[in-house]
Amino acid sequence: MTLSAGSRLGPYEILAAIGAGGMGEVYRAKDPRLGRDVAIKVLPPSFSADADRLRRFEQEAKAAGVLNHPNITAVHDVGMHDGAPYVVQELLEGETLRAVLSGGRLSPRKAIDYSLQIVHGLAAAHEKGIVHRDLKPENIFVTNDGRLKILDFGLAKLTHTEERGQVTNLPTATAGTEPGVVMGTLGYMSPEQVRGRPADARSDIFSFGAILYEMLSGRRAFHGDSAADTMSAILKEDPPDLSVTNQNVPPGLDRIVRHCLEKNPEQRFHSAHDVAFDLESLSERSGPAAALRTRPRSASLRPWLGGALLGALVAGGLLFLALRNAPVAPASYNQLTFRRGTIWSARFGSDGKSVLYSAAWDGEPIEIFVSSPGTPESRTFGLPGADVLAVSAAGDIAASLDSRVLGEFQRAGTLARLSSTGGGAPRRVLDDVQFADWSPDGKELAIVRAENGRVRLQFPIGKVLFETQGWIGTPRVSPKGDRVAFLDHPVGGDDGGLVTVVDLAGKKTNVSGIFGSIQGLAWSSDASEIWFTAGVANRALYAVSLAGRQRLVSSVTGSLTLQDISRDGRVLMVDQQSRLGLVALAPGGKRERDLSWLDWSRPSGLSADGRSVLFYESGAGGGPGYSAYVRGTDGSPAVRLGEGQSMSLSPDGKWALALLDKLTNPHFLLYPTGAGQQRPLPLGDLLPRAGRFFPDGRRVLVAAAAKGQRVRQYLTDVDGSKPQPVAPEGFLLPVISPDGTRLLTRGPDDKAWIFSVRGGEPTLVPEIAAADTVAGWTSEGRGLYVQRGVTIPARIDRFDFATRRFETWKEIVPSDVAGIVRISSVFISPDGTFYAYAYSRALSNLYLVEGLR
């Protein structure tokens, strides 16, 4: 049945034919009820009598219809017209992954980005018991905003219904997926599919591995002169090493590819979630691929030529590339703040026009400011040390008093209620609250608070709806008051996570993909979506429905954090530039020197003479993982030593200890800082977590875990002697005394203890508080340098073992204090003549944005 433009198919108006193939015809159509363009796949009436073809068509619709994920093509509707069944799907703009790969191999960063989106989509399907069984570049679509969509679940099969013997003869050609052949496409089929055996989730993982290999190498993993040669390669051969075709592929990524392509399904990753976990470990600060990149929208429909490509697109059921019917006015960004510093939060006032925000300007303490429309000036609210958390419809303010930094992304203070007029003293409600939001009627508060080692979401206060060992960000109560949306960050100290919704009964639903960086959340003005900001190197603005339909709203240069959305759709956003910098004072120096190299420079050791500092980069400049560097404290250029998170510098400055593949295959390498060859530091069956040189430069203290056991401290040497335990399980990596005989560490009880390397009972140091950080030992081991809390400037005291007293040694902070939010990773020489530390700087501007849709 061929449909002409202007004809109707059920309620849909046909606009144009897109393509045709063995599985039917595809049309671009308009749904007049919702005013949107869609793609419709129609099975010809002449084939309706073909039970197998009709079964596969219905199976595709049912399989895809139960899947609701941003990386899987959405099915809107199914129906029958004049004896011909049809399925209605979303219409996309972009091109297939096959078309993308025609331009050659991808960078490792881009390949990881795309791969994470694919495996997140597969994981969602596998959780529903659905296996794709025909994953290939032709069945993966890359939209213009950088989102990947898995197409064509027509070959998918519910795993609990699959039985042996349901496949027929092997195909003799590779183009298409015609009925009556083994399900799958040569070159991407798993060995079990080639043998005609049942396919499960691990079969999709094999196919994914072949795709990832092709993205990285620019060539197919398995390709022969004939179908038989290709099948033989799948069954018996491994693809050429990636190092031959792309020397920039990180070893950890190569291992993931090899693990996916194991011939025996039992030896592969057993789930797509496992693959995602390992991929995310390679892009910790770069973020997973759910953070979509933006591409320019096409100005016209892209012509599609070539029978094989067209057939593949039709098999996928989509050929998109539609234009908007009318131009959309661009959003306007109106800058509200102009001072230099950090904005912590912002909310619209109860009038919907004024804006309340909390900021620390020019190195001063945080306080609340009020901005009014039409003026660039802001007035202080008159409450220093306060952070605005939420504003109720009646104008009451939930604020955090004495707000303090808990880590890179968390703060806590005393929850208090204020009048929006600023009159009267604040009424204190509850201590140690991290976030809060009002119910629609302004009578109750949703809060986030840490209790008994867990971070808990409560609504109302006292009723726990969700808890985690990670952290919870930006809870927002829905306009109906029947649920709370929030950001679930499963790992403490990391801002990766996803959008989650919980109802008043505690039923949790994850509605977005996982992002490497996700901060800021609010309900849309019509409450139909949850808007949030997330991204790879920079955060963009996204929207997701409660059903999981995710879309890109806006992407600009910079890293955005959503703050609030008004009832009329105006948006408050903070554009923030965050950096981790490195400062050092060289021996004999009078002034500190900023030694920051790229965007996230964290020190990990000083040489005994203070002339070299070891550090690592873990931001956008550090690549998918970490990169280790050494630099002279005289300001000479940094030298990149190699991949990995640097751990310690030998006292003579000649060797650096680094941890590589910390999640997938953790192992230590010793890098020479000058001429020489790198070498491993073997630990047998132990899995290393951290390490530190002893003052003699020969021995190394390592934090490692034996299989099935908790982390403990071991003593080894650079030649790889058998590690010997020196502290019980659960103690953190110690700070070593100058003579190498004592270890200062913090135990599971969060108290400070001193162990002797020779053994014996540990000694408690009760004066060291839980919020304190030991930065080093003083000369001859007579005391300790201790960073007291997380104040700015950072206060460093000397603690003397003999007197059991603290005395102030120094306050440290960069000369430019604007935007400094934390001092960390402090290293001090025993005599106190030189040191190094890291500082976190966040510089922000607040924007009022209008016209976003």
Side-chain angles (χ1 to χ4, degrees), residues 227-292:
D229 291 338
T230 301
M231 288 186 287
S232 178
I234 291 172
L235 294 173
K236 301 177 181 179
E237 301 174 9
D238 291 325
D241 289 340
L242 284 169
S243 60
V244 175
T245 56
N246 188 349
Q247 296 182 0
N248 293 323
V249 175
L253 188 54
D254 178 76
R255 278 189 288 274
I256 290 174
V257 174
R258 299 294 171 185
H259 197 19
C260 290
L261 294 178
E262 291 285 355
K263 307 298 184 185
N264 185 346
E266 294 295 331
Q267 297 176 358
R268 287 177 217 146
F269 289 100
H270 281 213
S271 76
H273 283 301
D274 292 343
V275 184
F277 183 85
D278 279 9
L279 284 169
E280 286 161 359
S281 73
L282 297 176
S283 56
E284 288 184 74
R285 293 207 61 83
S286 300
L292 315 176

Side-chain angles (χ1 to χ4, degrees), residues 754-831:
I754 293 178
F755 284 84
S756 170
V757 174
R758 302 181 181 91
E761 292 298 317
T763 301
L764 177 66
V765 188
E767 293 86 354
I768 307 298
D772 295 340
T773 302
V774 176
W777 292 70
T778 62
S779 295
E780 300 179 2
R782 294 174 179 172
L784 302 168
Y785 291 104
V786 182
Q787 181 179 353
R788 309 302 299 274
V790 288
T791 59
I792 301 296
R795 174 185 160 190
I796 309 294
D797 285 355
R798 266 193 300 231
F799 174 72
D800 186 273
F801 288 124
T803 64
R804 315 303 292 186
R805 290 174 172 249
F806 288 95
E807 65 176 15
T808 299
W809 174 69
K810 188 183 289 290
E811 288 189 339
I812 55 175
V813 70
S815 57
D816 179 4
V817 298
I820 299 298
V821 296
R822 193 182 186 198
I823 304 296
S824 60
S825 302
V826 181
F827 293 85
I828 305 172
S829 67
D831 62 4

Side-chain angles (χ1 to χ4, degrees), residues 734-770:
V735 182
I736 306 170
S737 65
D739 61 3
T741 63
R742 289 174 293 168
L743 311 174
L744 186 288
T745 180
R746 197 175 291 277
D749 55 4
D750 220 20
K751 296 179 180 179
W753 297 85
I754 293 178
F755 284 84
S756 170
V757 174
R758 302 181 181 91
E761 292 298 317
T763 301
L764 177 66
V765 188
E767 293 86 354
I768 307 298

Side-chain angles (χ1 to χ4, degrees), residues 114-116 118-119 122 135 188 203-213 215 256 260-261 275 279:
Y114 283 0
S115 295
L116 274 163
I118 295 170
V119 294
L122 286 177
L135 201 64
Y188 303 94
S203 301
D204 283 350
I205 290 172
F206 185 98
S207 302
F208 160 77
I211 295 170
L212 177 53
Y213 180 95
M215 287 194 288
I256 290 174
C260 290
L261 294 178
V275 184
L279 284 169

Side-chain angles (χ1 to χ4, degrees), residues 115-199:
S115 295
L116 274 163
Q117 295 190 59
I118 295 170
V119 294
H120 284 314
L122 286 177
H126 294 166
E127 286 177 353
K128 298 288 187 180
I130 298 170
V131 179
H132 191 285
R133 308 194 338 156
D134 193 28
L135 201 64
K136 54 189 176 183
E138 290 83 354
N139 278 342
I140 299 170
F141 201 87
V142 184
T143 68
N144 283 342
D145 62 4
R147 186 177 7 161
L148 266 67
K149 292 275 190 174
I150 302 175
L151 311 177
D152 192 8
F153 276 85
L155 295 181
K157 205 162 194 179
L158 296 176
T159 57
H160 62 78
T161 64
E162 180 162 15
E163 298 175 358
R164 291 182 179 270
Q166 289 185 313
V167 293
T168 59
N169 295 327
L170 290 172
T172 57
T174 62
T177 54
E178 296 296 324
V181 300
V182 166
M183 301 303 182
T185 301
L186 281 180
Y188 303 94
M189 295 168 62
S190 64
E192 55 269 27
Q193 287 177 290
V194 170
R195 292 188 173 100
R197 296 174 181 172

